[in-house]
């Protein structure tokens, strides 16, 4: 079901379990709710980057518009829920992101922390992109396939942006070496998480 080419393009080391799209489609209210909060969290982390690194003008310039875009995504998911007569549910524990956070290197100062934050953002964007792609290809509902296609394209752009920012501020070899570690960790984390239709990740 997954084509290795996309996984390769995104650098991800583990393709999503093919059962996931079917599970996700079974309860749209649940998957759309989880998706909405993913967009909210993406907007929130971009705001935090701007707050934490005002002395990185290019970062501020690049990331500020992403806040608007991610919040626009949140609103698009709300509109989709609305259109289908569904309601936004409560936010659930995000085991995927919590698991990734545990991997972040502590110490080393705020500059080192920036590399960790940029790579974390890049990774979540890459995995989201891979999953939106699956939904855009394999959802039974034609409208949903189009709906998810737009997210796939946008999140692919964000993935590239975060990697490029990391390469702008840090030595390329250092970025690439750390990125490889993130990818290996993420694959192992995902392997150990239950495949659930009510979670984007
Ligand atoms: Fe988004
Ligand atoms: Fe994004």
């Amino acid at each position: 079901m997954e084509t290795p080419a996309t996984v390769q393009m995104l650098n991800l080391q583990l393709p999503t379990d093919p059962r996931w799209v079917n599970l996700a489609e079974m309860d749209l209210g649940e998957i759309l709710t989880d998706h909405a909060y993913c967009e909210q969290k993406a907007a929130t982390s971009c705001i935090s980057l701007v707050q934490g690194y005002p002395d990185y003008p290019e970062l501020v310039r690049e990331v500020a518009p992403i806040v608007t875009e991610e919040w626009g995504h949140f609103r698009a998911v709300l509109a989709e829920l609305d259109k289908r007569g569904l309601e936004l549910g409560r936010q659930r524990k995000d085991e995927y992101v919590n698991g990734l956070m545990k991997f972040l290197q502590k110490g080393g100062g705020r500059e080192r922390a920036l590399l960790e934050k940029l790579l974390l953002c890049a990774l979540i964007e890459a995995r989201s992109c891979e999953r939106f792609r699956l939904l855009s290809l394999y959802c039974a509902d034609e409208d949903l396939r189009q709906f998810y296609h737009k997210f796939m394209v946008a999140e692919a752009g964000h993935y590239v942006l975060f990697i490029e920012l990391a390469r702008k501020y840090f030595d390329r070899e250092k970025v690439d070496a750390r990125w490889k570690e993130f990818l290996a960790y993420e694959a192992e984390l995902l392997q150990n998480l239950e495949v659930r239709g009510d979670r984007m990740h």
Side-chain angles (χ1 to χ4, degrees), residues 35 39 42 69-70 73 125 132 151 154-155 158:
H35 177 184
E39 301 296 354
E69 206 183 324
E70 300 291 19
H73 289 171
E125 296 286 0
F132 288 135
F151 291 96
E155 312 310 357
H158 298 164

Side-chain angles (χ1 to χ4, degrees), residues 19-160:
R19 292 169 301 169
W20 175 74
V21 173
N22 307 66
L23 292 171
E25 259 194 312
M26 282 164 65
D27 196 339
L28 276 180
E30 290 291 317
I31 195 71
L32 288 170
T33 286
D34 195 62
H35 177 184
Y37 290 112
C38 289
E39 301 296 354
Q40 171 264 309
K41 280 177 272 190
T44 304
S45 51
C46 286
I47 292 174
S48 298
L49 275 174
V50 171
Q51 283 177 315
Y53 297 90
D55 49 339
Y56 288 66
E58 190 160 340
L59 178 143
V60 173
R61 236 188 344 265
E62 299 275 353
V63 170
I66 311 296
V67 175
T68 317
E69 206 183 324
E70 300 291 19
W71 195 249
H73 289 171
F74 176 82
R75 294 181 61 191
V77 180
L78 278 189
E80 193 64 28
L81 280 162
D82 220 29
K83 198 175 99 184
R84 293 172 183 271
L86 299 166
E87 278 181 14
L88 179 69
R90 294 178 80 93
Q91 186 164 7
R92 272 75 52 84
K93 201 172 143 207
D94 192 337
E95 287 176 85
Y96 175 74
V97 172
N98 290 348
L100 292 178
M101 300 277 282
K102 285 193 191 128
F103 185 66
L104 300 193
Q105 219 170 68
K106 312 280 183 299
R110 65 188 278 273
E111 198 193 345
R112 185 64 182 75
L114 176 61
L115 176 58
E116 299 293 296
K117 287 174 205 277
L118 291 172
L119 294 183
L120 174 68
C121 288
L123 190 53
I124 299 171
E125 296 286 0
R127 180 59 72 188
S128 304
C129 176
E130 189 241 2
R131 297 224 156 169
F132 288 135
R133 177 180 169 278
L134 291 179
L135 293 167
S136 77
L137 288 175
Y138 303 114
C139 273
D141 184 314
E142 160 74 24
D143 288 349
L144 273 181
R145 290 202 297 274
Q146 285 181 17
F147 172 76
Y148 286 120
H149 183 83
K150 290 180 211 138
F151 291 96
M152 176 193 77
V153 173
E155 312 310 357
H158 298 164
Y159 154 70
V160 171

